[in-house]
Amino acid sequence: MKVLVLGAGQLARMMSLSSTHLGIEVLAYDVSSKQVINPVTFEVSNTTLEQEVERAYAITAEFEHIPEDVLALCESSGKFYPGAQSIATGGDRSKEKALLDKAQVPCAPYALITEKSHFIDAADKLGMPLVIKTCQAGYDGKGQWRLKSADQIDQIWSEMEGFIASGTEAAPHSIIAEKMIPFDREVSIIGVRDKGGNCKVYPLTENQHTNGVLTLSIAGKEKAAIQGQAESAFEKLATELNYVGVLAIEFFDVDGQLLVNEIAPRVHNSGHWTQQGSHTSQFENHMRAITGLPIGCTSLIRPTAMINVLGQASIPHSVLTVPGCTSHWYGKEAKPGRKMGHINISADNLHQLGERLSELAEILPEDDYPGVLDTSHALILN
Amino acid sequence: MKVLVLGAGQLARMMSLSSTHLGIEVLAYDVSSKQVINPVTFEVSNTTLEQEVERAYAITAEFEHIPEDVLALCESSGKFYPGAQSIATGGDRSKEKALLDKAQVPCAPYALITEKSHFIDAADKLGMPLVIKTCQAGYDGKGQWRLKSADQIDQIWSEMEGFIASGTEAAPHSIIAEKMIPFDREVSIIGVRDKGGNCKVYPLTENQHTNGVLTLSIAGKEKAAIQGQAESAFEKLATELNYVGVLAIEFFDVDGQLLVNEIAPRVHNSGHWTQQGSHTSQFENHMRAITGLPIGCTSLIRPTAMINVLGQASIPHSVLTVPGCTSHWYGKEAKPGRKMGHINISADNLHQLGERLSELAEILPEDDYPGVLDTSHALILN
């Protein structure tokens, strides 16, 4: 069975590596270069997108910001999972919030802003501080503000105005203001839904971000109550979207109550631990779901942590001396801050995982790999 | 790092799939077609063996019967592991027995035969029944006899004589006679040795053969005493060969005493369970060892069984409905009896593994997949 992935980065690569054994062949479409490539060997195929859409048994995506024409072509083939609606929902905060409301899944209070009066109302009704973001997140990395007092409204509105005006009727640009709620930590749930509507959900993952980028995830330390909240959110949202494949949901944990931060209609960085920590990785399960194969076990085999490798030219080989440790290298050219690979580390229990992370912390410089040492201490003490 | 594998079958394929994440790129040399290919995509490279030997960081083999000139070229590069001596030992029963004697590892009593008088002596001294085999096992599948009474000697000798005469001084042909010892079962050990001489050994595997071909393996049911014997044999043999990489040893279990049947200087069918049952698969550990990376954990994560798929055109998708089950398809053209793929199935304990095998037995026809039902019963009862 041939599967075409829109996007040719590490997620497409790991989908390929995790499903070849099932008899699945993966090709990837790089939307920038408009080339079809093998995401493992990086070899360029001399075929076109149209040809590969025709040949594919199933089509999927590794990211949300896909050109309209590509999305339309794939959707019209009837083989595209999780489908254009799910992809669009993941790529637009206004659609995402509408989904959450419809499925009755809690998130922070918010207001959509398309004109200045909405902004003034939001500051008034939601209360400050507010986090203000563009809804169409692909807007070249800009477009995020914090409103702390009403006297900032004019200044921030003048920056927002141009973005909103650049939208069209077909593709409107909007802004969302969310009440900033102090949270204890960030967690996420990864789950998979098959074509028959059956859902399987992995254990909740605790995530640490540094400068807005995921740096470390841990799976295997959650209690049943909070897991139940996350599973319920997954099932409501996946069902509402008639979703097929792996869906990720990021939450803020506010004193034991989960509020959705955002959803990602795809395999997700915070689910990379499943490669070593569960029987069926998120990549294999995504491929099983979209090709109509039975989805596999998502239970935890062993507590596992994942450490992102950001901007480094290589992963120190000595990490492999630490028991239960495996490195995953994406084969990309190194650039500052770029996701270059990740390290998974598993153990028989959380205490042992802490000890192993402590060994890793001796190898990995704190500046490049933040949180490893602190996490090891926390696991050993608990 | 580029690795060249001699042989382009499923073992090369799984070496590739199990080491891409470490940043290793695998190409395979098909000794029949004399082509360099990607063992995953089967794409033919327009490079030569000589070029790839030059480019490789390390070279290894997936089988023992490699043409002399190819072996010599690889050996002279200084990058070939486990090396020509180990490969030759695995491909010649007379060399294998000499190794066992030198390392003082027990096997069944045997005698080498190059003339008729040796044959008569063997029948006399070892006692009948004898199993008689050609030492150079690549001899087109023929060359195995059983001597039950002395009056068969003339007849069998007349069949053996031609084979022995076809040898040369550089490559002598010989025959080995082994005392046929009734054994309780067949087991094997897979281990890995790194360039520094460090060894790690997987748990012993119990193997079932049908018509001389492995059909089912189980790992996770062995007691410490017998594991210790197998580990000791591994360490003696690997050290004697100054071995680098994964080495497999097959044993007969004779009332708790392990006698070596044969060795395989490579990753081995009876170690395929390690893909799901251990932290580091035999394929990943072989690649780690030959490229000088630290070797990884070999302990059992969960009891796991492996079922070979022989001659089938596909694996029923419904096997994936059984919890803990994964299928591995090699992408080859189906031929009767050919190894087409395998199924791994894991569980939290042996009883659960038995229950899951029982579910599998409902899907897999007994004639095509012998031993699944019986094994499930045995595990559930124990």
Side-chain angles (χ1 to χ4, degrees):
Chain A
M1 287 187 290
K2 288 180 194 292
V3 169
L4 178 66
V5 181
L6 304 179
Q10 66 267 18
L11 301 181
R13 180 182 176 88
M14 290 188 278
M15 285 186 219
S16 176
L17 291 172
S18 305
S19 65
T20 305
H21 67 87
L22 297 173
I24 293 172
E25 292 170 49
V26 173
L27 281 176
Y29 179 69
D30 182 333
V31 300
S32 307
S33 68
K34 301 189 176 177
Q35 286 178 319
V36 174
I37 72 163
N38 179 320
V40 176
T41 64
F42 303 119
E43 197 157 349
V44 177
S45 162
N46 58 7
T47 53
T48 63
L49 173 63
E50 289 71 15
Q51 287 172 322
E52 295 301 345
V53 166
E54 180 69 28
R55 284 174 193 168
Y57 182 83
I59 305 168
T60 191
E62 64 153 22
F63 73 128
E64 294 86 84
H65 299 288
I66 297 161
E68 283 295 328
D69 57 334
V70 175
L71 211 53
L73 175 69
C74 294
E75 184 74 359
S76 70
S77 74
K79 302 184 276 193
F80 184 46
Y81 301 98
Q85 188 209 345
S86 294
I87 298 289
T89 304
D92 187 319
R93 289 190 177 86
S94 63
K95 294 189 168 116
E96 194 174 273
K97 296 294 183 189
L99 169 71
L100 295 172
D101 289 347
K102 193 168 176 198
Q104 298 187 295
V105 173
C107 62
Y110 71 92
L112 291 177
I113 297 171
T114 52
E115 50 189 76
K116 192 174 180 183
S117 66
H118 301 158
F119 190 20
I120 295 165
D121 283 358
D124 188 37
K125 289 186 188 145
L126 301 178
M128 289 171 279
L130 286 181
V131 181
I132 301 152
K133 299 170 186 168
T134 62
C135 289
Q136 294 75 28
Y139 185 56
D140 65 18
K142 292 180 195 166
Q144 185 149 339
W145 301 268
R146 293 201 176 190
L147 181 74
K148 291 178 188 165
S149 66
D151 58 10
Q152 297 173 291
I153 288 181
D154 288 348
Q155 171 60 32
I156 293 178
W157 173 253
S158 70
E159 292 176 30
M160 282 156 49
E161 210 175 2
F163 172 72
I164 294 173
S166 68
T168 62
E169 199 171 344
H173 278 179
S174 55
I175 297 278
I176 192 165
E178 290 176 51
K179 187 172 169 64
M180 205 168 125
I181 293 178
F183 56 86
D184 303 319
R185 57 185 190 139
E186 291 176 79
V187 296
S188 61
I189 196 93
I190 311 287
V192 59
R193 185 172 181 272
D194 70 16
K195 292 182 183 179
N198 303 297
C199 293
K200 290 192 180 183
V201 179
Y202 292 94
L204 203 68
T205 308
E206 182 178 298
N207 302 314
Q208 294 177 28
H209 292 81
T210 307
N211 302 325
V213 178
L214 181 69
T215 43
L216 195 150
S217 295
I218 301 183
K221 49 180 285 200
E222 301 305 325
K223 301 286 185 293
I226 202 154
Q227 175 76 19
Q229 282 184 56
E231 291 191 8
S232 163
F234 178 86
E235 283 175 25
K236 285 179 186 170
L237 295 175
T239 304
E240 183 61 44
L241 287 167
N242 194 22
Y243 199 90
V244 174
V246 163
L247 170 71
I249 309 170
E250 292 186 278
F251 301 93
F252 300 126
D253 178 353
V254 182
D255 203 15
Q257 155 97 31
L258 296 185
L259 299 180
V260 172
N261 174 25
E262 61 181 34
I263 70 168
R266 54 173 168 80
V267 292
H268 192 259
N269 197 165
S270 71
H272 289 2
W273 67 265
T274 61
Q275 292 171 310
Q276 267 70 45
S278 75
H279 182 266
T280 324
S281 76
Q282 65 165 348
F283 303 102
E284 180 172 339
N285 254 337
H286 184 68
M287 300 307 265
R288 287 193 189 198
I290 66 167
T291 58
L293 294 174
I295 54 178
C297 301
T298 51
S299 55
L300 188 91
I301 298 178
R302 303 202 294 165
T304 299
M306 190 261 354
I307 298 158
N308 262 344
V309 179
L310 299 167
Q312 306 294 315
S314 66
I315 301 173
H317 290 164
S318 52
V319 302
L320 298 177
T321 60
V322 181
C325 190
T326 303
S327 58
H328 294 262
W329 184 247
Y330 307 152
K332 302 192 296 191
E333 192 192 338
K335 289 181 189 169
R338 194 178 200 190
K339 288 180 179 173
M340 299 302 298
H342 65 274
I343 297 164
N344 280 346
I345 182 152
S346 303
D348 293 339
N349 52 59
L350 289 168
H351 185 86
Q352 191 184 58
L353 184 60
E355 291 172 337
R356 290 178 175 185
L357 281 169
S358 161
E359 282 188 62
L360 266 186
E362 289 178 24
I363 298 168
L364 302 174
E366 170 73 14
D367 285 352
D368 298 329
Y369 298 91
V372 179
L373 191 61
D374 286 351
T375 304
S376 79
H377 289 161
L379 289 173
I380 290 170
L381 289 174
N382 269 325
Chain B
M1 287 187 290
K2 288 179 193 293
V3 169
L4 178 67
V5 180
L6 303 178
Q10 65 266 19
L11 301 181
R13 179 181 177 87
M14 290 187 278
M15 285 185 219
S16 176
L17 290 172
S18 306
S19 64
T20 305
H21 67 86
L22 297 173
I24 293 172
E25 291 170 51
V26 172
L27 282 175
Y29 179 69
D30 182 334
V31 300
S32 307
S33 69
K34 301 190 177 178
Q35 285 178 319
V36 175
I37 72 163
N38 178 320
V40 177
T41 63
F42 303 120
E43 196 157 350
V44 177
S45 162
N46 58 6
T47 53
T48 63
L49 174 64
E50 289 72 14
Q51 287 171 321
E52 295 301 344
V53 166
E54 178 70 26
R55 285 174 192 168
Y57 182 84
I59 304 167
T60 190
E62 64 153 23
F63 74 128
E64 295 86 85
H65 299 287
I66 297 161
E68 283 296 330
D69 56 336
V70 175
L71 212 54
L73 174 68
C74 294
E75 184 75 358
S76 70
S77 73
K79 303 185 274 194
F80 184 48
Y81 301 99
Q85 187 210 344
S86 294
I87 298 289
T89 304
D92 187 320
R93 290 189 176 85
S94 64
K95 294 192 168 112
E96 194 175 271
K97 296 292 184 191
L99 169 71
L100 295 172
D101 289 348
K102 193 166 177 202
Q104 297 186 296
V105 173
C107 61
Y110 70 93
L112 290 176
I113 296 170
T114 51
E115 52 188 73
K116 192 175 180 181
S117 65
H118 300 159
F119 190 21
I120 295 164
D121 282 357
D124 189 38
K125 289 187 188 143
L126 301 177
M128 286 170 283
L130 285 181
V131 181
I132 301 150
K133 299 171 186 167
T134 62
C135 289
Q136 294 76 26
Y139 185 55
D140 65 19
K142 294 181 193 165
Q144 185 148 339
W145 301 267
R146 294 200 175 191
L147 181 72
K148 291 178 187 166
S149 66
D151 58 11
Q152 297 172 292
I153 287 180
D154 287 348
Q155 173 59 30
I156 291 178
W157 174 252
S158 71
E159 293 176 28
M160 283 156 49
E161 210 174 2
F163 172 72
I164 295 172
S166 68
T168 62
E169 198 170 345
H173 279 179
S174 55
I175 298 277
I176 192 165
E178 291 175 51
K179 187 170 169 64
M180 204 167 126
I181 293 179
F183 55 86
D184 304 317
R185 56 183 192 141
E186 291 175 80
V187 296
S188 61
I189 196 95
I190 312 285
V192 58
R193 185 173 183 271
D194 70 16
K195 292 182 182 180
N198 303 297
C199 292
K200 290 190 181 185
V201 179
Y202 291 94
L204 203 67
T205 307
E206 183 177 298
N207 302 314
Q208 293 177 28
H209 292 80
T210 307
N211 302 325
V213 177
L214 181 67
T215 43
L216 195 152
S217 295
I218 302 183
K221 51 180 284 198
E222 301 304 325
K223 302 285 186 295
I226 203 155
Q227 175 75 20
Q229 281 183 57
E231 291 191 10
S232 162
F234 178 87
E235 282 173 25
K236 285 179 185 169
L237 295 175
T239 304
E240 183 61 44
L241 287 167
N242 194 22
Y243 199 89
V244 174
V246 163
L247 170 71
I249 309 170
E250 292 186 278
F251 301 94
F252 299 125
D253 178 354
V254 183
D255 204 15
Q257 156 97 32
L258 296 184
L259 298 180
V260 172
N261 175 25
E262 61 181 32
I263 70 167
R266 54 174 167 80
V267 291
H268 191 259
N269 198 166
S270 70
H272 289 0
W273 67 266
T274 61
Q275 292 171 312
Q276 267 70 45
S278 74
H279 182 268
T280 323
S281 75
Q282 65 166 347
F283 302 103
E284 179 172 339
N285 253 337
H286 184 67
M287 300 307 267
R288 287 193 190 198
I290 67 168
T291 58
L293 293 174
I295 54 178
C297 301
T298 51
S299 55
L300 187 90
I301 297 178
R302 303 201 294 163
T304 298
M306 190 262 351
I307 299 158
N308 262 344
V309 179
L310 300 167
Q312 306 294 314
S314 65
I315 301 174
H317 290 164
S318 52
V319 301
L320 298 177
T321 61
V322 181
C325 190
T326 303
S327 59
H328 294 261
W329 184 249
Y330 307 152
K332 302 192 297 190
E333 193 192 337
K335 288 181 189 170
R338 193 177 200 191
K339 289 180 179 172
M340 300 302 298
H342 66 275
I343 297 164
N344 280 347
I345 182 153
S346 303
D348 293 338
N349 53 61
L350 290 168
H351 185 85
Q352 190 184 59
L353 184 61
E355 290 172 335
R356 292 179 174 185
L357 281 170
S358 161
E359 283 187 62
L360 265 186
E362 288 179 25
I363 299 169
L364 302 174
E366 170 73 17
D367 285 354
D368 298 328
Y369 299 91
V372 179
L373 191 61
D374 286 351
T375 303
S376 79
H377 290 163
L379 289 174
I380 290 169
L381 289 174
N382 269 323

